[in-house]
DNA sequence: CAGTCCTCCTGTCGGC
DNA sequence: TGCCGACAGGAGGACT
């Protein structure tokens, strides 16, 4: 499910239920997700107040009042839902039946925040907030694809002499952090760049960004901004913690549209699906060069 | 080091 | 209807 716009949508949905409130109870229904949960995970959270719920790339980061940061990643199929936000519901929601793949249950300020993840590719861990930037998950991470953070020059530096296809380079979180398969495909289509083109070919001899790399940067920024605005994309499951659907999937030009005519009216091409590094790439060979 | 490939896990969908 | 393979929003780690 979650690339940056979906995680940001989740964050906005969870923040009112979590910020300024404390963990009353934490229940682990299995000892691990993708990785084992930290020792004493529930005990270390219980009683702590959440100062803020932030996002870095595809990670959620809850900053706690004791200087600990709770780091959460949704993997491919992770989702949160909020139950029983009303104070009087306290007796009810604690007995409400949990569903299959409900792995972590946070009781926070009279509500229940439940983490569900069928494939269990998600994970949670704890880190001192002071050293978050040095944490293995964040240490080598590139800038967010947001205005002011991501520039053509940054990408030029990252892509110079790189022989990997631009599709793979954009998915590499060390170059830009937060892009996934959907938005990379969409950005490349917007910029009319073939996913097979080598990343280094978008950098000028003198190391400056080419016009095409400037266009790609703009395409990444615009597609991410529009997707956040739309509440992300909902494919097989919901995105927001309140169960509401994202809308951006209706704006896909190429993702999942194999065989459709190119959305660019002047282009006679048809959307193709190829496989790159074992993942689907959707693009129009007519206009993406 | 750079680049490529596999893997973790479960659910769903299309084809025969 | 039932079975079986392909595929799914990610990313760490093991290869060459």
């Amino acid at each position: 499910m979650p690339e940056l716009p979906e995680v940001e949508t989740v964050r906005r949905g969870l923040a009112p239920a979590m910020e300024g409130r404390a963990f009353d109870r934490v229940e682990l229904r299995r000892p691990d997700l993708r990785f084992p949960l930290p020792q004493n995970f529930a005990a270390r959270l219980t009683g702590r107040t959440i100062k803020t719920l932030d996002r870095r790339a595809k990670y959620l980061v809850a900053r706690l009042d004791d200087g600990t940061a709770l780091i959460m990643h949704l993997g491919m199929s992770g989702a949160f839902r909020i139950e029983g936000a009303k104070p009087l519901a306290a007796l009810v929601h604690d007995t409400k039946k949990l569903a299959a793949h409900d792995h972590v249950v946070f009781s926070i300020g009279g509500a229940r925040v439940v983490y569900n993840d069928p494939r269990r590719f998600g994970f949670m861990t704890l880190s001192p907030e002071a050293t978050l930037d040095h944490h293995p998950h964040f240490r080598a991470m590139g800038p967010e694809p947001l205005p002011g953070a991501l520039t053509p020059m940054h990408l030029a530096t990252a892509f110079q002499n790189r022989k990997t296809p631009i599709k793979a380079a954009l998915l590499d979180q060390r170059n830009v952090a937060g892009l996934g398969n959907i938005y990379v495909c969409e950005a490349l289509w917007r910029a009319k760049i073939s996913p097979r083109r080598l990343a280094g070919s978008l950098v000028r001899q003198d190391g400056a960004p080419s016009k095409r790399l400037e266009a790609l940067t703009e395409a990444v920024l615009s597609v991410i901004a529009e997707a956040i605005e739309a509440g992300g994309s909902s494919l097989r499951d919901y995105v927001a913690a309140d169960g509401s659907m994202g809308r951006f999937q209706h704006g896909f030009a190429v993702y999942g549209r194999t065989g459709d005519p190119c959305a660019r009216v002047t282009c006679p091409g048809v959307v193709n699906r190829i496989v790159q590094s074992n993942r689907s790439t959707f693009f129009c060979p007519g206009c993406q060069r």
Side-chain angles (χ1 to χ4, degrees):
Chain A
M1 166 182 51
E3 301 182 33
L4 187 154
E6 291 74 38
V7 177
E8 177 59 22
T9 300
V10 170
R11 189 196 68 75
R12 292 178 184 183
L14 289 180
M18 296 180 74
E19 291 183 341
R21 300 169 196 259
F23 290 99
D24 304 320
R25 186 155 164 264
V26 174
E27 182 189 352
L28 307 182
R29 307 191 63 237
R30 53 175 304 133
D32 61 316
L33 295 170
R34 176 174 180 180
F35 307 115
L37 287 152
Q39 284 294 311
N40 306 316
F41 181 75
R44 290 174 66 185
L45 293 178
T46 304
R48 300 273 65 80
T49 294
I50 300 148
K51 294 188 299 181
T52 59
L53 182 64
D54 301 324
R55 180 193 56 70
R56 172 76 170 104
K58 304 173 194 173
Y59 291 81
L60 292 169
V61 179
R63 295 169 196 269
L64 311 183
D65 61 355
D66 67 346
T68 299
L70 165 61
I71 299 169
M72 298 174 279
H73 195 289
L74 305 176
M76 292 276 263
S77 59
F80 281 100
R81 68 173 191 276
I82 302 171
E83 295 177 355
K86 292 174 195 161
L88 282 181
L91 289 177
V92 179
H93 68 66
D94 247 8
T95 56
K96 194 182 285 180
K97 245 179 82 178
L98 293 169
H101 310 301
D102 284 346
H103 302 308
V104 182
V105 182
F106 297 128
S107 296
I108 302 173
R112 212 157 70 158
V113 175
V114 183
Y115 179 71
N116 181 283
D117 188 353
R119 293 178 75 180
R120 236 182 306 128
F121 286 175
F123 48 90
M124 298 186 188
T125 192
L126 299 170
S127 163
E129 183 185 349
T131 55
L132 257 189
D133 290 346
H134 306 292
H135 192 279
H137 292 308
F138 298 132
R139 199 171 39 216
M141 199 172 260
E144 300 271 316
L146 299 174
L150 181 69
T151 62
M153 192 58 220
H154 172 268
L155 288 183
T157 304
F159 293 166
Q160 191 167 29
N161 300 323
R162 298 296 297 283
K163 296 211 180 93
T164 199
I166 185 64
K167 162 83 188 303
L170 288 172
L171 283 175
D172 187 333
Q173 305 292 297
R174 293 170 298 186
N175 297 144
V176 203
L179 299 181
N181 209 29
I182 292 177
Y183 298 110
V184 164
C185 291
E186 294 297 317
L188 288 169
W189 177 83
R190 290 186 180 206
K192 302 186 184 179
I193 293 170
S194 167
R196 294 195 261 230
R197 172 174 286 281
L198 300 191
S201 76
L202 296 168
V203 182
R204 293 191 341 195
Q205 277 302 317
D206 64 4
S210 65
K211 287 290 179 199
R212 310 198 69 204
L213 186 52
E214 291 178 3
L216 178 58
T217 307
E218 187 49 44
V220 166
L221 294 175
S222 70
V223 76
I224 291 298
E226 288 169 33
I228 291 174
E229 175 67 24
S233 305
S234 294
L235 297 189
R236 277 160 270 288
D237 41 28
Y238 62 82
V239 162
D242 65 0
S244 65
M245 306 287 286
R247 298 179 306 278
F248 193 76
Q249 66 275 16
H250 304 300
F252 291 168
V254 288
Y255 187 82
R257 305 194 61 143
T258 310
D260 284 5
C262 180
R264 219 168 326 253
V265 287
T266 54
C267 176
V270 169
V271 177
N272 278 36
R273 175 184 174 276
I274 60 174
V275 175
Q276 292 180 289
S277 21
N278 280 329
R279 306 190 68 189
S280 290
T281 298
F282 301 92
F283 75 113
C284 172
C287 57
Q288 291 181 248
R289 298 298 175 170

